Amino acid sequence: MKYRLGIDVGGTNTDGVLLDRNMQVIHSLKTPTTEDVESGIYNTINRLIEEAKVDVKNIEFAMLGTTQCTNAIVERKKLNSIAIIRIGAPAGTSIKPLVGVPDDLRGILGGHSYIVEGGHEFNGDEINALNEDKIRSIANEIKGKIDSVAVTSIFSPVNQSHETRAAEILREVLGGEISISLSSEVGSIGLSERENATILNASIINVAKITAEGFEKALQYNGIDAKVFFCQNDGTLMSKEYTLKYPILTVACGPTNSLRGASFLANNKDAIIVDVGGTTSDVGVLVNGFPRQSSIAVELGGVRTNFRMPDINSIGLGGGTVIHLAEDNTFKIGPDSVGYRLLEEGLVFGGSTLTTTDVAVGLDIVNLGNPELVAHLDKELLTRIYERMVEMIEETIDKVKTSAADTPVVFVGGGSVLFPNEIKGASEVHHPANGGVANAIGSAISQISGEIEKIYSISKENREEILKQAKDLAISETIKAGADRETVEIVELESVPLAYLPGNATRVKIKAAGDLAIEV
Amino acid sequence: MRLIGKEEIEDIAVGAALLGTGGGGDPFVGKMMALQAIEEHGPVKLLDVNEIDDDDLIVPCAMMGAPTVLVEKLPSGDEALQAFTSLEKVLNKKIKATMPIEAGGVNSLLPLALAATTGLPVVDADGMGRAFPELQMVTFYLNDVSTTPMVLADEKGNSLVLNTIDGKWAEKIARAATMVMGGSAMNAIYPMNGKQVKQSCIYYSLTLEENIGRTIREAKNNKRNAIDAILGLLGGFKLFTGKVTDIERKTDGGFVRGMAKIEGLGSNKGETCYLEFQNENLIAKTDNEILCTTPDLICALDTETALPFTTEGLRYGSRTTVIGIPADEQWRTKRGIEVAGPRYFGYDTDFIPVEQLNGKRGK
């Protein structure tokens, strides 16, 4: 039997799972995330193979989902020194790079910032020829001073050529070691937001490198020689090479993985998923097996960006959420939480803090810890608190819904046991087995995808032909990335007409995805 | 005269988004341009309409073209200045001040960016009191101020002086030229003397925008209901509260026309509201009755934060409270309704003031 290994590194726990080729769960577990990440991953893998008693030679794929890159941005730690090049002058000079970005980050990243002649119009014509001499002189100026470069050209989602040409020149001067991030690979139309995403991407290259190499080492030490992949936040995988170029695409892969894992476990491609952790519950929507993406600009570490992100609605309600009682028997739920200290601080575990878990144990909904320790609490009060907890979840579910119709709801995550099988607005409620490690499962079952975004002139007559062309392009991208030709399908198609433009200019975005091609 | 700095710009941007009634372009680009210009050159002088002289030359400026292009091909920042210089040559007179042509969206803020760069003052007024999609839909046009000579300028350095027989022709020709220039260009338009401004403008628009932004900010800080605070400030009506469940969009002659379907929540439970837009929100109605029509202002606000949605930003699941605000009296005249009433936009309905419609609804 051949296996695949899925790992998800969260802030608190590192989850691991082993699946067979039929995607059956062989074994799963959680270990604490460690400061250096690598040893936590090592421990997880080590215990997995030991407890499951599998031959490491049979592990053919290993997938890692990680929040390291997100944390580096939010905490401003271990960021690369970068250069920022915007191509498009004389357009684009009225707003300099990093305007509107928090000052501390501007201080770290803003040292080498340039605007160069070039760029394209919405229809692909040049605004200006690319000023290659200036790119070359910038390259000489930054040589030896920076680790990576962020290159953004106006309308590069329509015409990428100035970005790729600039990269060629930069590489000539700076050598192959320097990492170059191209905006057209990162985000969509909206220059400031796409440029910001590209800048953040350039700043986390080293963090990604350390994490990826840590994963490879942890595999090596365990004697595993598997093909390695990294999870993107759209529920699909990237190779190590691509991850080291575009680590920003790993941001928020955690919630994505638990959505995809939940979908797999509940065997439901269109559902609302509630991932109940210790501190928060994250609610997302699966459409055709993939997370619905946020359509608005997303802030990351205080920076406005536009790269794709799962549309997740979080509330401060988890298994460790603190219940505050007042003298007059009124209460307030959270938003603070004892988090991973639940096993010391929760009442049923001998602690002194009343938490959501204690409420559920007190009402006999869950059997955890020592129920005697909450037996003295007023049942009527506990019932009122519990009803409010369920209501909070119901309200969040309703917020993400696209229609008033009842929808399947799947509960996963460590705290999911707290919630009942009857939820307002749900057509059915699932609490699947192995839901506690849904994110690691999501990481292990991830597919390979390919995406295109272009502006086409679409009329009634040519609509079908153009969409077919675009779909074929997305499919061939997906196969190129390593997907099995037989399983590739279109998973997303968006066509948005552009206001005030003639010729029915339409932005078309298509994504295809398929299973990993397995060599038999 | 008072000075406009960075904090005022933040508030004005929020007010501009609201008075943009769903269109007008995301004020983000204009805000960033203004912030950068103020950072480099210092604050902007804002003039009361009564502070300008009757024979001062005042020229509004604005961006025209596709908002999608503007957010990608950011301006160079010199377009407006170039347009002004060309126009001064044609008119052989110095421009004394600029002003926004519309109080809504990105165009509320571009004159402030230009002013910060050049040191020109900005008049606290505009020609719409809201956002509208076409050049002739301004109170200057209602008062027979000529649209031209106007200048259109792009970021590459091209500029074009237009002399047209009326505002509608200016709209047609300028829009075609804008496409050739790459989908977005700046214009200097409706050159006026101070007396014409005083007779035809809508007064204190920038101050109103600033007040809207501040009201929302302060309501939030004081944990008061920001939507109620806004209705109080603007004399508006709460038309409908619900959740967007469907949205249709199609292009039609360069405009995005569409409709958002909003299913009622709370006191509107069981009802459905339809918000029809052509870039801006133009009609709000239920299955049985009309709630508000253009030229009165229809804004879809986020029920939680009171921040306005653009028609492009509205999406499935958005919790929204639709409000109606009486338009300036100039729009409610026979001519005003002809130029920007529901029939002009192809809706088979008469204009009835929002306060009458909502009196009838018993709210």
Side-chain angles (χ1 to χ4, degrees):
Chain A
M1 192 42 118
K2 299 276 191 188
Y3 304 100
R4 56 175 71 194
L5 173 71
I7 304 282
D8 185 276
V9 185
T12 315
N13 286 310
T14 298
D15 298 352
V17 65
L18 266 176
L19 301 185
D20 64 17
R21 264 196 180 174
N22 301 321
M23 304 288 184
Q24 293 304 307
V25 177
I26 303 296
H27 193 55
S28 70
L29 52 80
K30 285 176 182 288
T31 65
T33 296
T34 53
E35 180 73 36
D36 67 339
V37 180
E38 187 184 324
S39 55
I41 298 177
Y42 173 81
N43 292 338
T44 304
I45 299 175
N46 189 264
R47 272 187 53 199
L48 260 182
I49 50 182
E50 219 173 86
E51 290 175 20
K53 299 194 174 43
V54 298
D55 184 350
V56 291
K57 284 197 191 67
N58 288 330
I59 299 177
E60 55 181 345
F61 297 116
M63 288 84 170
L64 179 75
T66 168
T67 53
Q68 294 308 302
C69 293
T70 322
N71 296 347
I73 293 168
V74 174
E75 295 166 11
R76 301 1 185 177
K77 277 185 188 156
K78 303 175 201 155
L79 298 178
N80 289 114
S81 59
I82 66 161
I84 301 166
I85 300 179
R86 182 192 291 170
I87 302 168
T93 48
S94 61
I95 303 174
K96 293 199 181 107
L98 294 175
V99 169
V101 165
D103 288 344
D104 57 342
L105 211 53
R106 228 164 134 177
I108 298 171
L109 303 174
H112 306 276
S113 172
Y114 308 88
I115 304 183
V116 179
E117 292 74 21
H120 290 86
E121 305 279 8
F122 69 93
N123 60 4
D125 290 352
E126 278 188 352
I127 296 173
N128 232 327
L130 177 66
N131 187 338
E132 300 195 358
D133 293 344
K134 193 150 168 203
I135 300 277
R136 198 161 277 120
S137 82
I138 292 169
N140 282 310
E141 195 179 313
I142 59 180
K143 196 171 182 177
K145 295 182 190 147
I146 49 106
D147 310 308
S148 69
V149 191
V151 183
T152 308
S153 173
I154 291 181
F155 273 115
S156 63
V158 174
N159 189 329
Q160 208 189 4
S161 61
H162 286 184
E163 284 186 1
T164 44
R165 178 65 191 134
E168 277 171 25
I169 300 170
L170 289 166
R171 216 162 270 131
E172 268 171 38
V173 181
L174 301 171
E177 288 301 292
I178 290 287
S179 173
I180 298 167
S181 310
L182 304 186
S183 81
S184 48
E185 302 281 345
V186 175
S188 55
I189 287 168
L191 188 80
S192 294
E193 293 85 353
R194 187 174 75 253
E195 182 179 71
N196 285 345
T198 313
I199 289 169
L200 291 181
N201 185 69
S203 74
I204 52 173
I205 301 278
N206 280 359
V207 174
K209 196 159 178 243
I210 292 165
T211 310
E213 283 170 0
F215 183 44
E216 282 183 333
K217 266 188 220 155
L219 289 168
Q220 245 169 46
Y221 290 149
N222 280 297
I224 299 170
D225 178 29
K227 208 164 174 200
V228 173
F229 290 99
F230 296 84
C231 299
Q232 307 189 58
N233 61 19
D234 67 347
T236 63
L237 299 168
M238 309 185 264
S239 66
K240 181 188 167 194
E241 294 69 47
Y242 200 80
T243 308
L244 296 192
K245 275 190 192 156
Y246 297 108
I248 194 89
L249 301 177
T250 66
V251 165
C253 70
T256 296
N257 280 339
S258 58
L259 254 67
R260 296 260 307 150
S263 155
F264 175 77
L265 291 171
N267 193 19
N268 205 321
K269 284 188 158 189
D270 296 279
I272 290 175
I273 314 292
V274 187
D275 183 5
V276 190
T279 310
T280 60
S281 292
D282 298 335
V283 181
V285 182
L286 275 168
V287 184
N288 196 17
F290 285 89
R292 184 173 79 198
Q293 281 172 12
S294 180
S295 60
I296 44 172
V298 201
E299 285 221 342
L300 180 58
V303 183
R304 194 170 136 127
T305 64
N306 72 351
F307 68 104
R308 53 137 206 264
M309 288 268 257
D311 187 7
I312 302 287
N313 215 312
S314 290
I315 48 166
L317 177 67
T321 299
V322 178
I323 311 290
H324 303 273
L325 291 180
E327 300 270 310
D328 58 350
N329 250 358
T330 57
F331 61 87
K332 198 174 145 259
I333 301 176
D336 47 333
S337 164
V338 296
Y340 65 91
R341 301 185 317 276
L342 175 65
L343 297 179
E344 293 120 53
E345 297 198 15
L347 292 183
V348 293
F349 302 109
S352 57
T353 312
L354 176 62
T355 67
T356 46
T357 300
D358 299 313
V359 173
V361 174
L363 293 172
D364 249 354
I365 289 158
V366 208
N367 190 4
L368 266 176
N370 181 0
E372 297 285 302
L373 295 172
V374 287
H376 63 286
L377 294 171
D378 175 8
K379 288 275 184 300
E380 190 266 337
L381 174 65
L382 291 185
T383 307
R384 275 195 293 136
I385 297 173
Y386 188 72
E387 280 171 1
R388 180 61 201 141
M389 283 163 55
V390 175
E391 230 173 65
M392 283 168 76
I393 290 286
E394 287 170 346
E395 282 166 12
T396 316
I397 288 173
D398 190 52
K399 270 190 188 161
V400 302
K401 275 190 169 185
T402 55
S403 80
D406 285 353
T407 317
V409 172
V410 184
F411 279 98
V412 293
S416 59
V417 287
L418 302 187
F419 292 98
N421 279 318
E422 291 281 317
I423 288 278
K424 226 183 271 167
S427 56
E428 46 191 312
V429 176
H430 302 271
H431 281 89
N434 290 311
V437 290
N439 41 9
I441 290 171
S443 124
I445 60 152
S446 287
Q447 292 181 309
I448 294 275
S449 73
E451 197 176 81
I452 60 139
E453 181 181 357
K454 280 194 155 68
I455 293 181
Y456 290 100
S457 176
I458 290 188
S459 66
K460 249 186 211 148
E461 296 73 39
N462 69 7
R463 185 183 168 82
E464 252 174 61
E465 193 194 316
I466 284 186
L467 288 185
K468 183 171 181 315
Q469 260 176 35
K471 282 181 192 169
D472 288 347
L473 198 61
I475 289 171
S476 72
E477 286 290 307
T478 310
I479 295 166
K480 239 193 280 170
D484 174 13
R485 183 178 296 270
E486 297 299 310
T487 62
V488 174
E489 56 178 338
I490 302 292
V491 291
E492 226 176 80
L493 195 160
E494 192 185 277
S495 74
V496 183
L498 304 182
Y500 290 112
L501 288 185
N504 296 316
T506 306
R507 185 168 64 83
V508 178
K509 212 169 134 183
I510 299 186
K511 185 161 97 184
D515 293 338
L516 271 170
I518 296 177
E519 290 150 33
V520 188
Chain B
M1 202 272 287
R2 65 188 178 98
L3 293 176
I4 299 286
K6 285 174 143 187
E7 188 177 331
E8 288 84 2
I9 295 288
E10 297 281 350
D11 284 338
I12 289 173
V14 173
L18 189 136
L19 296 181
T21 61
D26 186 340
F28 179 76
V29 170
K31 178 175 106 175
M32 286 303 158
M33 282 174 68
L35 288 177
Q36 180 173 320
I38 288 174
E39 201 171 292
E40 284 172 9
H41 305 278
V44 174
K45 295 186 212 88
L46 187 69
L47 291 184
D48 192 291
V49 180
N50 299 312
E51 285 178 284
I52 52 178
D53 286 336
D54 279 356
D55 54 3
D56 281 351
L57 175 58
I58 313 290
V59 182
C61 67
M63 176 266 171
M64 102 176 268
T68 320
V69 171
L70 184 72
V71 299
E72 175 68 27
K73 191 175 68 165
L74 303 174
S76 79
D78 292 333
E79 298 91 342
L81 179 61
Q82 192 200 344
F84 271 34
T85 317
S86 305
L87 197 61
E88 283 178 338
K89 262 188 219 154
V90 172
L91 297 173
N92 197 20
K93 196 173 176 183
K94 270 276 181 226
I95 295 171
K96 277 288 172 59
T98 185
M99 63 189 284
I101 194 151
E102 57 185 331
V106 65
N107 279 335
S108 301
L109 291 135
L110 289 177
L112 294 163
L114 167 76
T117 316
T118 57
L120 274 185
V122 177
V123 184
D124 189 1
D126 84 303
M128 293 187 198
R130 50 165 298 158
F132 272 130
E134 295 174 24
L135 282 182
Q136 77 283 5
M137 294 174 176
V138 287
T139 50
F140 313 137
Y141 179 79
L142 301 182
N143 289 280
D144 297 322
V145 177
S146 168
T147 322
T148 60
M150 71 177 270
V151 180
L152 205 57
D154 71 15
E155 76 289 339
K156 293 171 278 282
N158 300 304
S159 67
L160 182 72
V161 181
L162 253 68
N163 286 294
T164 58
I165 51 172
D166 64 21
K168 285 193 181 182
W169 275 104
E171 163 69 27
K172 271 200 230 177
I173 298 172
R175 200 162 292 285
T178 301
M179 289 312 127
V180 180
M181 289 173 158
S184 111
M186 286 290 299
N187 60 36
I189 189 170
Y190 290 102
M192 279 172 279
N193 63 35
K195 195 171 170 196
Q196 286 172 303
V197 174
K198 288 173 194 169
Q199 283 166 349
S200 65
C201 74
I202 291 177
Y203 282 62
Y204 302 117
S205 322
L206 285 161
T207 297
L208 179 63
E209 287 174 334
E210 191 187 337
N211 285 340
I212 293 170
R214 195 179 47 240
T215 301
I216 294 179
R217 181 163 53 84
E218 287 179 352
K220 211 169 292 165
N221 290 343
N222 301 327
K223 308 234 181 297
R224 284 200 326 261
N225 185 310
I227 292 183
D228 290 342
I230 286 296
L231 292 175
L233 177 73
L234 299 169
F237 297 84
K238 196 182 277 186
L239 304 177
F240 200 84
T241 299
K243 170 173 130 173
V244 176
T245 56
D246 195 12
I247 214 159
E248 280 172 40
R249 292 188 181 95
K250 60 172 185 200
T251 42
D252 183 359
F255 295 111
V256 172
R257 279 174 171 270
M259 188 185 70
K261 189 174 163 191
I262 305 164
E263 273 168 27
L265 292 169
S267 64
N268 291 114
K269 203 158 185 118
E271 290 181 280
T272 308
C273 172
Y274 305 90
L275 198 60
E276 303 205 22
F277 51 84
Q278 175 178 319
N279 303 337
E280 282 79 30
N281 301 317
L282 296 176
I283 304 256
K285 58 183 187 188
T286 63
D287 286 308
N288 321 315
E289 57 190 331
I290 288 181
L291 303 176
C292 191
T293 82
T294 174
D296 283 347
L297 288 69
I298 303 165
C299 311
L301 307 182
D302 184 311
T303 300
E304 229 166 274
T305 63
L307 294 176
F309 285 111
T310 59
T311 52
E312 284 167 345
L314 267 183
R315 58 189 195 115
Y316 298 104
S318 302
R319 303 287 154 138
T320 182
T321 297
V322 182
I323 66 167
I325 304 163
D328 188 274
E329 282 309 320
Q330 297 201 50
W331 287 118
R332 292 174 154 202
T333 59
K334 188 162 168 277
R335 180 116 198 259
I337 292 163
E338 262 168 32
V339 170
R343 294 199 185 275
Y344 178 84
F345 291 100
Y347 300 107
D348 186 21
T349 176
D350 286 324
F351 169 73
I352 303 169
V354 62
E355 58 273 21
Q356 278 179 37
L357 287 168
N358 282 269
K360 206 176 70 187
R361 213 168 136 82
K363 279 190 185 167

